[in-house]
Amino acid sequence: MYKNTNLNLTSLEKLEEDNLIKKTISFVKDFFKGESSGHDFYHTMRVYRTAKQLAKIESKTKNVDITITLLASLLHDVDDFKVSPETDNEKSNAVKFLRENNISEENIKKIIKIIEDVSFVGKDSVTPSTLEGMIVQDADRLDALGAIGVGRAFAYGGKKGRVMYDPNVMPNLNMDETTYKNYDSTTINHFYEKLLLLEDLMNTSSGKEMARHRTEYTKNFLNEFLTEWNGEK
Ligand code: ADP
Ligand code: NI
């Protein structure tokens, strides 16, 4: 039964053993069996761990509802249009799970709003209205950066049958949601179209700090890639 809001830091560790969190982890593990689009169980777990880390830091100075944050981080991709297009509108996989676990309708609403606002969709991307939403969005975006982010971008491109790079195809920096979702580009262009924009879009200061480090790594990778491409090294 859901009852704890605004948990303090000591109870954060206990939450690991919380049955509800455990149950949610095993629900997503089961849900993502066989998924290889980069939206897999381990992506969800990384987002969960990063969200927990950001929540820990942010809650030193602000009120953070840790349970809402962690549930939203774990459920953020179970109705994603790429994974489950038929439930994307209603977010029915998440809603069904939360209802079955007796989460109040008020809290379900909060969690669903976070999930609805989480995605990067070009210039139509949304800034979440709550700190919990900001944390989950930052955590999800951080997983698109750094070594993991580079790996995910190439895994995604490979799955879509895209070329790594084509110097004749320019990045499109002004995409709305529909264009972004249907756009067929190269994986290297994705770095310019999304990855390198994320640091400036971070909502929390703890997220921004992590993004700074991961963006630097991502830029170094990109420079190395283009240098090798041009036969300069
Ligand atoms: P998010 O879960 O953050 O909303 P997406 O659904 O946009 O991310 O994408 C999942 C992963 O695939 C991310 O690492 C993202 O950077 C990568 N990705 C998305 N679109 C492309 C693309 N066109 N080319 C290469 N990688 C992509
Ligand atoms: Ni995600």
Side-chain angles (χ1 to χ4, degrees):
M1 175 70 91
Y2 181 93
K3 36 188 165 13
N4 38 3
T5 51
N6 296 327
L7 293 163
N8 61 30
L9 274 186
T10 30
S11 55
L12 189 59
E13 271 64 47
K14 272 203 217 131
L15 213 61
E16 285 282 82
E17 281 116 56
D18 187 306
N19 262 338
L20 177 58
I21 297 293
K22 265 194 183 159
K23 233 174 144 179
T24 314
I25 291 174
S26 73
F27 169 71
V28 288
K29 187 170 191 178
D30 213 48
F31 182 88
F32 285 113
K33 256 184 200 147
E35 181 56 51
S36 63
S37 68
H39 282 100
D40 53 23
F41 171 63
Y42 292 110
H43 162 66
T44 291
M45 289 307 288
R46 290 191 301 270
V47 174
Y48 161 73
R49 287 192 292 266
T50 305
K52 195 158 67 163
Q53 176 70 9
L54 298 182
K56 209 179 216 176
I57 301 170
E58 293 299 314
S59 64
K60 284 181 186 158
T61 52
K62 296 172 196 120
N63 248 351
V64 183
D65 188 319
I66 307 274
T67 305
I68 295 262
T69 308
L70 297 186
L71 287 177
S73 71
L74 285 169
L75 295 170
H76 85 273
D77 265 347
V78 300
D79 293 293
D80 186 274
F81 70 96
K82 289 187 187 119
V83 178
S84 178
E86 67 286 0
T87 65
D88 177 32
N89 262 344
E90 306 287 325
K91 306 289 175 217
S92 27
N93 291 330
V95 171
K96 183 167 177 279
F97 173 83
L98 292 166
R99 283 202 180 130
E100 280 169 5
N101 285 282
N102 305 317
I103 310 298
S104 71
E105 287 302 312
E106 190 193 341
N107 284 320
I108 292 180
K109 238 189 220 156
K110 286 185 195 164
I111 293 167
I112 297 305
K113 179 81 180 118
I114 294 176
I115 298 173
E116 279 169 352
D117 291 347
V118 75
S119 278
F120 179 87
V121 284
K123 62 181 180 181
D124 288 334
S125 303
V126 172
T127 303
S129 51
T130 60
L131 180 55
E132 291 78 8
M134 291 179 177
I135 290 172
V136 176
Q137 191 185 69
D138 282 0
D140 190 30
R141 289 176 172 181
L142 281 161
D143 205 51
L145 286 174
I148 300 263
V150 169
R152 285 180 82 212
F154 284 98
Y156 184 94
K159 181 155 174 119
K160 292 271 170 183
R162 294 186 178 162
V163 296
M164 289 198 294
Y165 178 49
D166 181 341
N168 296 311
V169 182
M170 288 296 123
N172 182 350
L173 295 177
N174 200 29
M175 288 188 268
D176 60 17
E177 179 166 357
T178 315
T179 317
Y180 180 80
K181 283 183 174 174
N182 298 302
Y183 202 63
D184 202 6
S185 183
T186 69
T187 301
I188 288 295
N189 277 357
H190 183 67
F191 283 64
Y192 298 100
E193 290 160 353
K194 172 180 171 184
L195 308 189
L196 298 183
L197 309 177
L198 295 178
E199 183 183 342
D200 281 346
L201 295 172
M202 285 289 140
N203 305 294
T204 63
S205 42
S206 50
K208 209 172 184 88
E209 202 173 314
M210 270 196 210
R212 206 173 297 132
H213 170 77
R214 294 188 189 197
T215 301
E216 199 182 318
Y217 179 93
T218 309
K219 281 183 180 164
N220 287 340
F221 169 84
L222 193 55
N223 284 337
E224 186 73 18
F225 184 100
L226 296 171
T227 309
E228 289 177 16
W229 187 278
N230 292 319
E232 290 164 19
K233 251 188 191 169

